[in-house]
Amino acid sequence: QVQLVESGGGLVQPGGSLRLSCAASGSFFSIDTMGWYRQAPGKQRELVAALTSSGSTNDTDSVKGRFTISRDSAKNTVYLQMNSLKPEDTAVYYCHAEVSRGILRLRYSYWGQGTQVTVSS
């Protein structure tokens, strides 16, 4: 099993900033990707940003220029720095990781429990 421990969510005013953290622990050979998804009420869960072990990134158009994903490989931790937050960023943010584990080094997908981000005045 792999555990994803999230922190950093909360209430912030429009234009403010938050930094989300997600640390992975457990039994795995390697972390192949780590990233963040979000789901607003009545909407589908969407990718916010993701980072692969090779350093490639992907993010959604709505957060380009405002959000930055980064990682600390030594701590198996991924961060999401969120600046210039807007009310439409309000959602539950989920940490996600794909890891290789087991004798066959198969890839498994894991999710954190989610952390609420609310942007409101």
Side-chain angles (χ1 to χ4, degrees):
Q1 182 65 273
V2 173
Q3 297 81 44
L4 302 178
V5 181
E6 301 161 303
S7 63
L11 175 65
V12 66
Q13 294 184 348
S17 298
L18 286 173
R19 189 178 76 158
L20 306 183
S21 300
C22 176
S25 63
S27 179
F28 50 84
F29 178 77
S30 64
I31 300 176
D32 302 312
T33 66
M34 292 189 76
W36 294 93
Y37 291 71
R38 68 185 181 186
Q39 187 168 21
K43 295 185 177 181
Q44 300 290 333
R45 187 174 299 185
E46 66 174 352
L47 173 70
V48 178
L51 184 64
T52 70
S53 59
S54 64
S56 62
T57 61
N58 188 30
D59 54 21
T60 188
D61 289 341
S62 64
V63 307
K64 289 184 183 297
R66 299 188 297 120
F67 292 7
T68 302
I69 190 169
S70 61
R71 71 176 185 270
D72 184 336
S73 297
K75 297 180 179 180
N76 291 324
T77 299
V78 66
Y79 305 94
L80 185 67
Q81 179 66 48
M82 304 185 294
N83 299 325
S84 301
L85 283 162
K86 304 174 181 179
E88 51 263 44
D89 295 318
T90 296
V92 178
Y93 284 70
Y94 296 91
C95 180
H96 176 258
E98 292 183 335
V99 308
S100 295
R101 61 187 300 268
I103 191 170
L104 298 178
R105 305 292 186 262
L106 299 178
R107 184 167 291 175
Y108 295 81
S109 178
Y110 294 92
W111 293 91
Q113 67 179 18
T115 183
Q116 178 71 46
V117 172
T118 302
V119 184
S120 176
S121 60

